[in-house]
Every structure is written in structure tokens, then in C-alpha cells.
Amino acid sequence: MTIATLRKKFIEGSYTPDDAVAHTLEVIANKDPEIHAFLDVYEDAKDEAVKATARYKAEGGATPALLGIPFAIKNNILIKGRKATAASKILKNYVATYDATVITRLREAGAIFVGSTNLDEFAMGSSTENSAFGPTKNPHDTSRVPGGSSGGSAAAVAMGAVPAALGTDTGGSVRQPASFCGLVGFKPTYGAVSRYGLMAMGSSFDQAGPLTTTVEDAERIHNVIAGLDPMDSTTIDSNTYPQVPIKQTYTIGIPRAFLKEGIDQEVMNVFEAHIETLKNKGYKIVDIDLPLFEKGLAAYYISIPAEVSSNLARYDGMRYGLRVDGDTLLDVYEKTRAEGFGEEVKRRILLGTYVLSSGYYDAYYAKAEAVRELMREELAHVFTSVDLVLTPSAPTVAFTFGAHADPVSIYKQDIFTVPVNLTGVPAISIPGGVVQKGDKSLPVGVQYIAPHGGDTRLFDIGKKIYDALLPEEQ
């Protein structure tokens, strides 16, 4: 059931938070041994459910917006007193000492945290194959990946354990798994949601966002977690950008030249069918040019490793997490990081250190950041003539485990999502259709991109195009 449906039933008394959490724990017990969406399950969620049930009986509809709703939380988001490993051996037994701002706000709204979910180590990956604690499987086809890096959060919702989960999106890590698992995945305008208490990967990219089954639920969650935060100076509010109005209908731009290479034909067929649906509903579809979007992947995989090498320098065996003793201080550093980090994390640290080094900074990092600024300008210009930009969310359906062992091959999965993070604009992935592979129906997502501050516009188009087709009760 969706958050909206659960909330209605809680108020009526026909179903209770006790029932919802019991159902969640039962689904996890039955399905998660195969799916491996969760790294930890919080049995004391039952106690929170008892309190929430009593509160509904006493207060009814006057209760907070998410009271009693079971939530799964990606394990790179801090919850005080809970393990926060980022799916890395270097933080295997680390216990968070404070709540992330998004956790504080969800808790104040009454959400019940039932467990932490698996991810690519430190959110570096597009398949959740890079977790130090084993991969997560796609509930639609367990021979395939759920996407990444928020694959555990996506799988938790897709297998019916929870109505919603929180992930983080640095280059598509909410939207791509949403596409692979048939969900709604939302990445806010950069700064709309506080990063305080999120384990940093790329500080100028990272944003927390919801994975849900409806756009309405994603909007409900975003409205709870968004807003200014004194603990994060990059946070913004509605006054930061000019008002982005809601319209009765929208002009939607398609960057055709950007959609020619590396996309499975089956995905393109679903995408073209979605465009026809938009035309039939009266939306104006126009072709647009975004030539710099093609450079986005190259720029991203220079800028991101640079920020990774800086942010992960704190994991040195001295302050917290894994420590491997050595004869010298340098020995401790080397042995701790060699044993604690996985291959993809090491790869990005090495690459990032290289592009930031003397003699290469200007040639690589500074150039990538210059491209990033030009991309912002290009996109801002496009938004003077269109209201939204539409692309596929990913170039393929969920792929089988090991299909993209080559790093460059897996990086190409991010081709449509990374320009959004590079430019800081908001985007949403909604289910666009399915592709049949044998006896399995594999979801395909479509991505809508809005101007800076246009988060509400994305919720509006999503509800009009996707939620309107859903049954009244999930």
C-alpha cells in the first residue's frame, strides 16, 4: 500500500501501524534472504508501531504526516545508535553518534525506521554489486541487479517490504535503481535537502531523495525532508531561485542527438511510446539541442573522483572505523585502506588524487569544472523555450550480474543521469513501461528534468502522467 492509502486506513482504524510494521518484518523475513536489500533490520520498530497506533486512536487525523509509516534508510545516512557502514569494511562496526537532518525530520513526522539498506560501497556504483557485504538482487528478476548505488532501498520497496525508502543521488543513484525496479525516484534541486549526516561522496553533487511507488508519496516525503538547515550552509529555500510555476500543460524538450548512442532499442521503443502518450494528452513535444550533455559523463568521472579522494581521506585508521596496525604511521594508513576499501573505491581515490595533483589539476579537474559551468548555462538557455526535458532514465533495463565488469562499461549506465547532478537541477524517474525478457517483465523508467527550483513542477507532471493511471488504492 502507498503512504496515502496507509495514512487513510490508519486514521479510519481499519489498519494500524502495528499491522503495517508486522507486515514489513514478515516480508523481510520471507524475501530478504534471497534479495538482500537490508544490512540491518530494527526489531524495535514494533515498539514504535505500538506508540503510533495508540496515537492514532487518541488523535486521529491530527497526527503528523508520516506517523506509523515503515521506512527503509540507505546505510550511508546516519541514524543515532545504529550501524552506519556505507557498505564498506572500513566502517564495518561504526555506530552513528547523531541523526542526519533528514532522519530528524522524518522522525518528527512520525516515520518508523525498520532497517538500513544495502548499497554500492560509499555509494560508488550503478548496480549494488560493489557492497562489501554482498550484492542485492532485483525483485523483478533475481538474476539481475537492482541498479545502484541505492539498490537496497529500491529493492526494499519493489519487493513490497516498505512503501518508501530513502536513498542518495550523486550521479543517478536514486533514479537509475528506480528505473530498474519499476519505482518513482526523485532527485531534488541541489541544496533543497540537507546533506548533514549523509556520508559524503561528492559534496557538490550529493542529495537525499525518496524511492516510492507513486509520485504523490515522493512529494509527501520531499516536503518533510526539504528546507533550510543551519548545519548545512548549502541548503536553500523557495526564495533562492525564481518561482517555477505549475502549468495546465507543458512544452517538453527531447534532446534527440543525445539519445543516439548506447541505448537498447527496446528502451527506445518504450521511450517513444511514452512520447506518443504525452502528445495524445495534449503536451507540446519539441526537439532541443544539448550538445554539452554528451560531455557530461567525462566531466563527471573527473570531478567526482576528485571529491571522493578528498572526502575519503578521513578514513585513515586513526579516528574511527577499521584500524590495521603497522610498524609506522604510513604502514597503518596503507594497510588500513588496502584492507578496508573495495576495488571501485580505490580506483576513484587514485584517479581523483591524480587529477588534483600538481601539473594535472588545470588539465583535468579545472577543465571538467569549466565544462560543468557551461552545461549549467546551456541548460538554463534551453529552459527559456521549454518547461521540461525528457530522456530515458537509463540506457538499458536491469542487467545480469557481472555483465558490466569493465569500469567504463558500467560508468556508461549513468549517461542520462549525471548531467542533472553536474548542473544541480531536479529530476524524477517514473515508470514508463516494460520490456519482456523471457518470462520476466523488466521495468523501464523515463526521466523528467526541470529548471533549478522546479521540484514542484516535476511532482505535478508526474502525478498527471503516472499517478493518474494508477488504481485508486494500491
Side-chain angles (χ1 to χ4, degrees):
M1 287 184 281
T2 66
I3 292 175
T5 302
L6 283 171
R7 172 83 172 159
K8 179 181 176 184
K9 289 181 178 293
F10 290 166
I11 293 170
E12 292 172 349
S14 60
Y15 195 71
T16 69
D18 276 335
D19 298 326
V21 169
H23 172 74
T24 288
L25 296 176
E26 181 182 1
V27 172
I28 294 171
N30 291 336
K31 294 185 178 181
D32 204 51
E34 180 180 21
I35 300 298
H36 190 44
F38 288 86
L39 293 180
D40 289 297
V41 179
Y42 309 148
E43 291 291 337
D44 58 0
K46 296 175 185 176
D47 301 330
E48 295 301 313
V50 170
K51 296 175 187 176
T53 298
R55 193 167 174 186
Y56 271 109
K57 288 179 180 177
E59 302 175 30
T63 48
L66 299 175
L67 182 65
I69 303 296
F71 263 78
I73 304 295
K74 189 175 180 180
N75 200 226
N76 63 342
I77 301 173
L78 302 188
I79 305 177
K80 186 176 181 179
R82 305 291 192 186
K83 282 186 181 180
T85 67
S88 178
K89 288 181 181 177
I90 208 160
L91 287 175
K92 185 175 181 180
N93 295 310
Y94 176 70
V95 175
T97 57
Y98 64 96
D99 282 334
T101 296
V102 291
I103 295 300
T104 299
R105 290 177 178 174
L106 286 172
R107 184 177 279 123
E108 288 172 350
I112 296 176
F113 307 127
V114 297
S116 64
T117 55
N118 200 14
L119 64 148
D120 288 295
E121 184 181 5
F122 281 105
M124 297 182 206
S126 304
S127 63
T128 317
E129 293 175 284
N130 295 327
S131 170
F133 308 116
T136 297
K137 298 177 182 178
N138 191 319
H140 292 272
D141 180 350
T142 54
S143 70
R144 297 175 183 270
V145 303
S149 64
S150 305
S153 290
V157 178
M159 74 182 190
V162 288
L166 209 59
T168 59
D169 193 312
T170 304
S173 289
V174 165
R175 289 160 288 146
Q176 188 247 23
S179 179
F180 281 10
C181 290
L183 303 173
V184 173
F186 178 66
K187 182 265 171 193
T189 297
Y190 180 79
V193 175
S194 174
R195 292 179 294 110
Y196 181 70
L198 274 60
M199 293 184 184
M201 174 189 167
S203 300
S204 70
F205 296 81
D206 299 340
Q207 280 288 273
L211 286 141
T212 60
T213 56
T214 68
V215 178
E216 181 188 4
D217 281 357
E219 181 179 29
R220 189 183 298 253
I221 295 165
H222 176 72
N223 289 342
V224 167
I225 63 176
L228 291 171
D229 178 15
M231 302 303 291
D232 179 1
S233 61
T234 65
T235 51
I236 61 174
D237 61 14
S238 58
N239 296 317
T240 306
Y241 294 107
Q243 184 69 29
V244 179
I246 302 301
K247 298 182 178 181
Q248 193 65 34
T249 187
Y250 297 106
T251 299
I252 299 171
I254 312 294
R256 288 284 178 188
F258 186 48
L259 307 179
K260 289 182 178 178
E261 190 175 341
I263 309 175
D264 284 0
Q265 187 57 50
E266 295 162 315
V267 171
M268 275 305 296
N269 292 343
V270 171
F271 182 68
E272 294 292 354
H274 186 77
I275 291 173
E276 290 304 311
T277 298
L278 291 171
K279 289 178 179 177
N280 293 337
K281 288 180 175 291
Y283 292 95
K284 184 179 180 182
I285 307 299
V286 299
D287 288 349
I288 57 172
D289 290 321
L290 285 169
L292 285 176
F293 264 40
E294 297 177 27
K295 311 295 184 186
L297 204 61
Y300 179 84
Y301 279 103
I302 291 173
S303 293
I304 269 294
E307 295 195 21
V308 164
S309 71
S310 176
N311 278 324
L312 269 62
R314 70 194 72 183
Y315 304 108
D316 55 9
M318 295 292 156
R319 285 163 282 195
Y320 42 73
L322 178 72
R323 174 191 173 94
V324 180
D325 288 331
D327 295 332
T328 65
L329 181 61
L330 184 59
D331 269 351
V332 173
Y333 286 161
E334 289 179 344
K335 289 179 179 179
T336 298
R337 292 163 75 83
E339 185 175 320
F341 288 141
E343 291 306 308
E344 181 60 27
V345 173
K346 292 175 185 176
R347 182 181 294 115
R348 297 197 192 192
I349 290 173
L350 287 168
L351 180 59
T353 303
Y354 177 79
V355 301
L356 289 176
S357 62
S358 176
Y360 296 101
Y361 180 96
D362 289 333
Y364 293 104
Y365 181 72
K367 191 170 291 185
E369 288 297 295
V371 169
R372 192 175 176 184
E373 183 56 37
L374 290 172
M375 288 178 69
R376 291 190 188 101
E377 294 173 6
E378 177 182 82
L379 194 57
H381 176 71
V382 163
F383 280 128
T384 62
S385 59
V386 302
D387 301 309
L388 297 159
V389 173
L390 179 66
T391 73
S393 299
T396 70
V397 295
F399 49 86
T400 54
F401 288 95
H404 291 285
D406 169 51
V408 175
S409 174
I410 194 74
Y411 293 166
K412 288 181 178 179
Q413 283 290 318
D414 303 332
I415 188 167
F416 299 127
T417 53
V418 295
V420 169
N421 300 81
L422 283 161
T423 55
V425 294
I428 193 168
S429 177
I430 64 173
V434 296
V435 166
Q436 203 67 29
K437 295 284 189 181
D439 63 344
K440 305 292 186 182
S441 294
L442 302 179
V444 174
V446 293
Q447 174 181 239
Y448 286 88
I449 304 169
H452 285 96
D455 306 59
T456 305
R457 180 177 288 180
L458 292 174
F459 295 133
D460 182 61
I461 186 71
K463 286 185 289 188
K464 287 174 178 174
I465 298 301
Y466 181 64
D467 282 9
L469 300 176
L470 296 174
E472 189 169 334
E473 288 197 4
Q474 292 278 301

